[in-house]
Amino acid sequence: MAGINPQAEELNSIIKRHNKTVYELLSKKGKAIYWPAKGILAQSAAAKNKSINATIGTAYEDDGRPMILPVLRVF
């Protein structure tokens, strides 16, 4: 996949090696996420000025409201 962080690519290869079915079940977004090896500060710097920045565990909508999964909105 082009444009994916090398850490995500490495994780994807590990997942494929251990369970190809699990890898194939991942969405495009799922294949692009990873736990930053260099820590949260490095991830925060990399996410600066991106359309979605969920580096502190909270994703925000464009208007600044917390992003909530539709399935959780009913609770």
Side-chain angles (χ1 to χ4, degrees):
M1 284 179 99
I4 289 192
N5 183 284
Q7 291 178 77
E9 288 177 351
E10 181 181 1
L11 180 57
N12 287 333
S13 69
I14 293 168
I15 293 169
K16 272 194 267 189
R17 186 170 54 245
H18 289 279
N19 194 326
K20 189 175 179 183
T21 302
V22 169
Y23 172 79
E24 291 172 354
L25 289 171
L26 292 173
S27 66
K28 185 176 179 180
K29 249 184 208 178
K31 292 173 182 171
I33 61 174
Y34 61 96
W35 187 262
K38 296 180 182 177
I40 195 70
L41 296 177
Q43 185 188 33
S44 293
K48 191 172 186 156
N49 299 319
K50 301 292 183 194
S51 60
I52 295 176
N53 180 348
T55 57
I56 60 169
T58 305
Y60 294 96
E61 300 285 356
D62 292 335
D63 64 5
R65 292 179 299 125
M67 189 181 291
I68 301 172
L69 296 172
V71 70
L72 298 177
R73 288 183 196 269
V74 297
F75 296 105

